């Protein structure tokens, strides 16, 4: 026998038990969590950004300072950055903010950096907001990818990724082209 209700009374009992089970505190909690997750996913906004970061190791516009390491830009070198972020690759392009953080030469061959920085937006639609980036930047690759690990302001609870390309490298100056895809 399949255990189906044999009468209308059995059917009502089965219905009452089902309603009680669905209304039990653990299941109400599960339903509430599921609804909140759905609302958060529905409210998430996707944003794409494109900007350039200007790394300059020499005066007068120095934005990179070596603070520890072997004295050359080899394995173990730790630098602090406060790089201009601009709309275009040219240094005179309109500024959108600053890239503030560190990069560390993290591979023995000197090609891979541990890059950790915040894009601090100072103009435009995202003025006062930040995005935080973290990841391995293998400079021998044409296109690299790092994680967006958070943000503030309009980017609170941000998650996503950024691709990095070296737009130009001349002496002690490097310009990085950064494309960001973020949900927030």
């Amino acid at each position: 026998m399949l255990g189906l209700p044999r009468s209308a009374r059995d059917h009502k009992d089965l219905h009452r038990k089902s309603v009680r089970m669905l209304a039990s505190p653990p299941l109400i909690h599960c339903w509430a969590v599921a609804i909140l997750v759905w609302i958060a996913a529905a409210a998430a906004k996707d944003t794409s950004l494109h900007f350039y970061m200007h790394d300059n190791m020499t005066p007068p516009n120095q934005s990179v300072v070596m603070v520890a390491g072997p004295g050359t830009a080899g394995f173990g070198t730790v630098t602090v950055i406060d790089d201009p972020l601009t709309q275009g690759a040219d240094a005179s392009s309109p500024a959108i903010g600053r890239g503030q953080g560190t990069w560390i030469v993290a591979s023995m061959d000197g090609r891979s950096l541990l890059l950790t920085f915040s894009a601090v937006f100072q103009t435009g639609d995202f003025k006062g907001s930040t995005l935080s980036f973290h990841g391995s930047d293998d400079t021998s690759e044409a296109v690299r990818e790092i994680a967006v690990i958070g943000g503030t302001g309009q980017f609170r609870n941000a998650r996503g990724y950024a691709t990095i390309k070296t737009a130009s490298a001349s002496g002690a100056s490097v310009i990085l082209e950064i494309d960001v895809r973020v949900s927030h």
Side-chain angles (χ1 to χ4, degrees):
M1 183 152 212
L2 296 175
L4 296 174
R6 289 186 289 255
S7 70
R9 185 176 144 193
D10 290 343
H11 182 72
K12 284 182 181 178
D13 286 344
L14 181 61
H15 179 66
R16 271 192 226 111
K17 288 178 184 175
S18 297
V19 168
R20 259 184 283 158
M21 183 179 79
L22 289 174
S24 68
L27 282 176
I28 288 174
H29 179 72
C30 288
W31 282 108
V33 169
I35 290 169
L36 289 174
V37 168
W38 178 77
I39 289 170
K45 185 161 77 167
D46 292 331
T47 300
S48 297
L49 300 169
H50 180 86
F51 55 85
Y52 293 83
M53 186 159 82
H54 301 260
D55 229 14
N56 192 353
M57 296 184 218
T58 57
N61 299 315
Q62 185 172 359
S63 62
V64 177
V65 175
M66 191 181 314
V67 294
T72 61
F75 177 69
T77 300
V78 178
T79 61
V80 176
I81 62 171
D82 186 11
D83 293 341
L85 302 178
T86 61
Q87 291 178 10
D90 190 84
S92 63
S93 178
I96 62 166
R98 307 294 294 188
Q100 299 174 331
T102 60
W103 54 259
I104 301 168
V105 179
S107 64
M108 295 297 284
D109 63 11
R111 295 185 316 192
S112 188
L113 309 175
L114 174 61
L115 182 58
T116 303
F117 75 98
S118 291
V120 180
F121 297 99
Q122 297 172 329
T123 64
D125 294 341
F126 303 112
K127 182 178 181 175
S129 299
T130 67
L131 279 173
S132 297
F133 300 86
H134 180 81
S136 179
D137 179 10
D138 184 344
T139 59
S140 68
E141 298 291 326
V143 179
R144 292 90 72 188
E145 186 174 304
I146 60 174
V148 173
I149 59 171
T152 64
Q154 292 186 52
F155 294 117
R156 189 174 294 134
N157 295 320
R159 61 197 180 287
Y161 68 96
T163 57
I164 300 172
K165 297 177 197 170
T166 301
S168 71
S170 173
S173 294
V174 176
I175 300 172
L176 301 176
E177 181 178 4
I178 302 175
D179 282 300
V180 182
R181 306 289 183 267
V182 65
S183 294
H184 53 100

